Amino acid sequence: TGMAGMEHMEHMAGMENSLTGGEVSCDSLTAPESSAPIRKFELTAARTTLKLDNGKTVKAWTFNGSSPGLELRVTEGDRVVITLHNKDIEDGVTIHWHGIEVPCSQDGIAGLTQDAVPPGSQFTYTFIATTPGTYWYHSHQMSSIQVGKGLLGALIVEPKAKSAASTSETTALYQQLGSTMLVNGSAKGLTAPGLPGELVRLRLINAGNETMEFNVEGASFRVVAMDGHDLHEPGLLDGSIVPIGAGQRYDLLILVPNTGKVIITSPSAKSLPITIGSGSDPQHSAGGQLFSFIDYGTPLPNDTILQTDRRYNLKLGQNLFVKSINGKAFSDIPPMTVKEGDRVLITVSNVGGGDHPFHVHGHVFRVLSKNGVALHGSPVYLDTLLTKKGDTYELYLEANNPGLWMVHCHNLKHASMGMSMMLNYE
Ligand code: C2O
Ligand code: CU
């Protein structure tokens, strides 16, 4: 298969080969009945001409008329019910709830868990928002095209018991809309309130295809959560550079200094700073250490030694123009096969071809080691792991969500060029 063919594989019948074959089908796997409070939303996908705040006009595909679409805010434990309408996107649309452990039938994978919703039709998704944190949603029909056109948004699950730790919070979703980089839909940057002495929770979402490195100027901060999962006793950082892979989210808790202003910048989004507070400009820090979660925070007491039942080794790389896993491209890659209850050790190595943010649907995995060194800080649970060339990680995953699941690089161009596979329950 050439590149042109791969580009469209997400809606090709050809993908069926490696998708089916197990006993499990997604259709029956839905959210259990419960008395949880119901939160309803409507999202309409449509072709839209957007006028950006830099004066440019772009043809985009939007949810409810904007990109990012409506920020969905729910509370931990809510039963979330979202109806997707497709007004006029010809190839059809789905929504994937990135990072949420939804039942398989609600995962939004065109050609696998549902058919793409054609123009004039609708589909209703239901899931329980079990884990508070920062998530996002995006189309999963021809996703490298549709996400780039703007079919995405933030999804925030607030904790039931609000912590007193932060007094205000801000979402900052970075995306690549066509050739324009935006933060929360702005081509100019973002300003957020913050008073001297205040703690501000900044929810950073990388919805683009490239890794972004963030520099927090003028304040010390803590990385309090990654991919929606809290870190245990995160230490104070000063001048650290925070690398966020495509698809990942980092929550920073930032202490606004007495001078009253913090600026968060990224070399890959130079003209899109986040400015918190309105005091005097911070002294520019010279750029510090790259943040690493290997020894960040503290271990949990009595954290059990993990046993594993199955092992898989995945090498992320490229041959010629095909982005590959173990030297093969999508439909030729044998699935990882598990039984419910299995404890699975997945070794992921990046053997070339750029950064590969490794994403698993429907599950959260725990990072055990990097390049042979065991994590010795806080436990780290992710749905997307940024891997750089030469890195090898050991990941631990509990097979607790039966179904058929995609596993892929979240550089969606790489995914469409072959770096996608399946995790199937037998
Ligand atoms: Cu956000 Cu299949 O991914
Ligand atoms: Cu990749």
Side-chain angles (χ1 to χ4, degrees), residues 96 98-99 109 136 138 140 143 247 359 361 384 406 408 410 412:
H96 169 59
H98 184 118
I109 312 307
W136 62 298
H138 60 82
H140 219 293
S143 44
H359 176 48
H361 282 221
T384 310
M406 293 217 66
H408 62 87
H410 221 285
L412 296 174

Side-chain angles (χ1 to χ4, degrees), residues 209 316-317 323-324 350 352-358 387 408-415 419:
N209 279 327
L316 314 179
K323 303 288 177 181
S324 61
N350 180 328
D355 289 2
H356 301 303
F358 175 80
T387 73
H408 62 87
C409 178
H410 221 285
N411 180 327
L412 296 174
K413 293 182 181 152
H414 294 184
M419 198 175 280

Side-chain angles (χ1 to χ4, degrees), residues 10 37 61 63 82 102 129-130 155 162 182 216 251 263 320 334 342 354 363 380 390 392 396-397 402-403:
E10 286 176 43
W61 297 354
F63 287 120
I82 301 132
V102 299
T130 45
L155 168 56
K162 288 239 168 87
L182 304 174
V216 180
D251 288 19
I263 302 182
L320 289 178
D342 276 353
H363 298 75
V380 170
T392 295
Y396 171 83
L397 176 148

Side-chain angles (χ1 to χ4, degrees), residues 4 14 16 31 65 80 93 137 160 176 194 264 323 326-327 373:
E16 306 286 313
V80 188
V93 176
Y137 62 90
K160 246 190 195 141
Q176 187 86 43
I264 296 102
K323 303 288 177 181
N326 296 340
V373 181

Side-chain angles (χ1 to χ4, degrees), residues 201-218:
R201 188 183 190 106
L202 179 64
R203 300 176 181 271
L204 286 167
I205 303 174
N206 183 352
N209 279 327
E210 306 295 334
T211 303
M212 298 185 71
E213 293 184 346
F214 290 94
N215 202 339
V216 180
E217 293 169 12

